[in-house]
């Protein structure tokens, strides 16, 4: 009998869930062949159980804890079989071109052993060798000794037979990972390595299928197809670029005492356009210091001086031009051409009706702050009276409209209304949410000013907010210097070109009352202060690494929230007799 698909996937998934950060790559990776399409690696099988058990104890509710720990107990029993070296490193090799027609996972495990003969006995493994058939929980598994304290095992005997497991591959894997891949390798509790050069045909096949689906969508889109075309071509182009220029991809996860992080990264081939775009490291860290420190729903920072970002801006401008319907005389590239860095924060608001963007602040770092401000002013003036994509723009700009914190600030306003064209009918639903986004003005209506090598902007004419923004732009000790941002940022990769922080508590406390008003969450209670979720993208030496970091308190809140939803505490409130929502 073959080992069940569930058991083998469980073991492989376990390997892909924990790898304690070490200075050197795990020795098991040295046994993974160079032509492996996909491999999983972990440094300590026992570390897997220990870290996951600690995670469950910290985050999972007591009611669900027993079920969560049951699988770990089973796996722990396997690890402690006589002959196993539970503290050693392990790996798993996935084959993409092997299928026995029975749903058996095409996988070979590289497991650490202290005594292969003893392990054979504990698994009641039989055979004449070198491959033996043993039993784990009543399921067959095939295994052989590959020397050096390792054994090969798997559900398909032919794959185990062919697997050499010889040492000498570590240097090649490390070189293919590149700087960012190695950073993920050394920082994560989980690592999956994919050889994109081997997987290229499969990526191209997926790209072709995506193009066919896009064609069907565009056929149904009718007149809007022309506007969708550039975005669809970009998505297809990314797949093609990944297949043609990609070398190695990594996916990782780390569990520590403060939270969980998830990685994804790509290393591109030397000499390709993608490698050139990602050759330099990013400098986004610290940009949030130029924003006012206060409660926020989300905040972001972007290194606009980075070569890859500049190329991305060019592609976006080209896509906008191809889509047509833009505002004449308004150039996105002109507004950002001198930018060195950009940052913004959506400050918390008392309720959605106040305008979600009413406390939104941005800062653009540039050596040409005065010229950039003039360019923005010209764009606002130029847009006045024009129509684009079914909307007519009514705009206004006033230079030096006020003096705030000792700085002359300009004011602007922008409103968008359907222009009566056929396209405008599709824009009507969007117009209904404009007051929710911007308040009673129905559009951006704020201040801009040039301040010490930066352009500061608000989306409402909120004088106290603009004053705080100007001071933060001058002093540089604003939002990013807060303890929460610093703590989360410390878990993100170095050389970040882009970073985002999301405050779940602030989002829920803004959206929750509205949901409760309409009966969707009648028992909603204010969420206590939570550590923000962080996301960062790092670049360098032709590679890119993305990481999401979720703190434990956020994970615990999500688990509690999900339990409340499952228990029916947040079920939709019954309607009144007249059919209206319950207020």
């Amino acid at each position: 009998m073959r080992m069940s698909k569930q058991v083998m996937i469980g073991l492989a998934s376990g390997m892909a869930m924990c790898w304690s950060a070490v200075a050197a790559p795990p020795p098991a990776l040295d046994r993974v062949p160079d032509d492996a399409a996909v491999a999983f690696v972990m440094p300590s099988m026992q570390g897997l159980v220990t870290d996951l058990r600690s995670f469950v104890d910290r985050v999972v509710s007591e009611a669900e804890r027993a079920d969560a720990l049951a699988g770990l107990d089973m796996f722990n029993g396997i690890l402690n079989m006589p002959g196993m070296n539970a503290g050693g490193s392990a790996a798993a090799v996935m084959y993409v071109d092997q299928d026995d027609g029975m749903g058996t996972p095409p996988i070979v495990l590289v497991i650490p052993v202290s005594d292969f003969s003893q392990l054979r006995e504990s698994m009641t493994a039989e055979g004449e060798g070198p491959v033996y058939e043993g039993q784990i929980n009543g399921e067959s598994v095939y295994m052989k000794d590959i020397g050096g304290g390792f054994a090969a095992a798997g559900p398909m005997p032919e794959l185990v037979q062919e697997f050499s497991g010889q040492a000498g591959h570590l240097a090649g894997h490390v070189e293919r990972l590149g700087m960012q891949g190695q950073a993920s390798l050394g920082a994560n509790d989980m690592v999956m390595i994919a050889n994109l050069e081997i997987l290229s045909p499969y990526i191209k096949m997926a790209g072709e299928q995506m193009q066919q689906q896009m064609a069907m969508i565009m056929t149904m889109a009718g007149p809007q197809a022309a506007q969708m075309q550039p975005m669809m071509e970009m998505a297809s182009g990314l797949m093609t670029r990944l297949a043609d220029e990609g070398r190695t991809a990594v996916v990782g996860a780390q569990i520590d005492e403060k939270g969980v992080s998830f990685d994804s990264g790509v290393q591109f081939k030397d000499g390709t356009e993608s490698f050139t775009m990602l050759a330099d490291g990013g400098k986004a860290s610290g940009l949030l210091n130029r924003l006012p420190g206060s409660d926020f729903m989300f905040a972001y920072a972007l290194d606009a001086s980075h070569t890859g970002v500049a190329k991305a801006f060019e592609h976006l401008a080209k896509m906008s031009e191809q889509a047509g319907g833009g505002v004449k005389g308004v150039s996105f590239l002109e507004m950002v051409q001198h930018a060195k860095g950009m940052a913004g924060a959506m400050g918390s608001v008392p309720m959605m009706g106040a305008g979600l963007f009413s406390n939104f602040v941005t800062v653009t770092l540039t050596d040409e702050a005065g010229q950039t401000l003039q360019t923005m002013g010209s764009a606002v003036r130029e847009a006045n009276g024009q129509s684009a994509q079914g909307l007519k723009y009514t705009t206004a700009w006033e230079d030096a409209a006020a003096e705030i914190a000792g700085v002359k600030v300009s004011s602007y306003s922008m409103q968008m209304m359907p222009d009566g064209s056929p396209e405008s009918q599709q824009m009507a639903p969007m117009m209904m949410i404009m007051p929710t986004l911007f308040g009673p003005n129905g559009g951006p209506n704020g201040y801009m000013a040039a301040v010490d090598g930066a352009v500061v902007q608000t989306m409402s004419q909120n004088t106290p907010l603009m004053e705080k923004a100007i001071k933060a732009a001058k002093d540089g000790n604003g939002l990013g210097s807060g303890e929460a941002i610093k703590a989360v940022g410390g878990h993100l990769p170095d050389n970040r070109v882009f970073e985002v922080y999301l405050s779940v508590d602030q989002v829920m406390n803004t959206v929750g009352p509205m949901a409760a008003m309409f009966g969707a969450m009648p028992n909603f209670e204010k969420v206590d202060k939570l550590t923000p979720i962080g996301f960062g993208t790092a670049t360098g030496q032709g590679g890119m690494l993305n990481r999401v970091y979720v703190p434990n308190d956020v994970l615990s809140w999500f688990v509690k929230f999900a339990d409340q939803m499952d228990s029916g505490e947040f079920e939709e409130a019954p309607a009144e007799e007249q059919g209206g929502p319950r207020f």
Side-chain angles (χ1 to χ4, degrees), residues 17-22 26 41-43 51 180-192 250-255 260-264 491 545-548:
M17 278 301 296
C18 182
W19 175 13
S20 301
V22 291
V41 193
M42 58 181 266
D51 287 352
Q180 299 304 330
Q182 292 176 47
S184 181
L185 194 68
N188 277 301
D189 295 324
M190 167 281 279
V191 170
M192 182 194 78
V250 296
V251 176
Q254 180 190 28
I255 302 171
V260 177
S261 62
F262 303 93
D263 278 7
S264 63
H491 291 272
L545 176 62
N546 306 300
R547 179 173 299 160
V548 177

Side-chain angles (χ1 to χ4, degrees), residues 68 120 190 219 251 279 288 322 328 385 454 471 516:
R120 280 180 51 198
M190 167 281 279
T219 300
V251 176
L288 291 179
Q322 290 175 344
K328 296 179 181 179
K471 290 181 178 179

Side-chain angles (χ1 to χ4, degrees), residues 421-564:
S421 66
E423 288 181 299
S424 67
Q425 297 179 4
Q426 301 179 11
M427 296 297 173
M430 186 183 74
M431 294 298 97
M432 296 177 63
I433 68 170
M434 294 301 282
T436 301
L437 298 178
F438 298 103
N441 293 312
N445 180 42
Y447 292 123
M448 290 190 200
V451 183
D452 291 0
V455 174
V456 178
Q457 178 182 357
T458 65
M459 289 199 178
S460 65
Q461 293 190 7
N462 183 330
T463 300
L465 177 63
M466 187 63 175
E467 182 176 0
K468 292 179 181 178
I470 291 172
K471 290 181 178 179
K474 288 181 177 181
D475 300 338
N477 59 355
L479 184 63
S481 62
E483 292 300 320
I485 294 291
K486 290 195 296 184
V488 175
H491 291 272
L492 301 181
D494 296 329
N495 304 311
R496 296 191 292 276
V497 69
F498 180 61
E499 61 182 7
V500 176
Y501 299 88
L502 174 69
S503 297
V504 175
D505 57 311
Q506 299 300 318
V507 172
M508 290 302 301
N509 289 336
T510 300
V511 176
M514 181 72 74
M517 182 181 298
F518 287 97
M521 296 169 58
N523 296 325
F524 174 78
E525 296 180 0
K526 184 178 180 180
V527 180
D528 293 334
K529 192 73 172 179
L530 298 174
T531 309
I533 296 173
F535 170 84
T537 297
T539 59
Q541 297 184 15
M544 174 179 65
L545 176 62
N546 306 300
R547 179 173 299 160
V548 177
Y549 176 74
V550 186
N552 280 337
D553 59 346
V554 177
L555 289 168
S556 297
W557 179 84
F558 273 121
V559 170
K560 180 180 178 182
F561 183 78
D563 289 343
Q564 291 174 324

Side-chain angles (χ1 to χ4, degrees), residues 115-165:
D115 189 323
F116 182 76
S117 297
Q118 193 176 35
L119 181 61
R120 280 180 51 198
E121 293 180 5
S122 63
M123 295 177 61
T124 63
E126 298 178 350
E128 298 181 359
V131 177
Y132 301 88
E133 181 179 0
Q135 297 288 320
I136 295 181
N137 294 331
E139 301 286 353
S140 294
V141 60
Y142 301 89
M143 56 188 292
K144 72 175 182 179
D145 189 3
I146 58 176
F150 290 101
M156 298 177 67
E158 59 273 20
L159 292 183
V160 176
Q161 174 71 46
E162 297 171 0
F163 189 82
S164 71

Side-chain angles (χ1 to χ4, degrees), residues 355-380:
L356 289 175
F357 286 90
S358 59
N359 284 334
F360 195 90
V361 182
T362 66
V363 60
T364 302
L365 273 60
T366 171
D367 292 331
E368 304 292 340
Q371 182 178 341
T372 300
L373 184 64
Q374 291 180 10
T375 300
M376 291 180 172
S378 298
V380 172

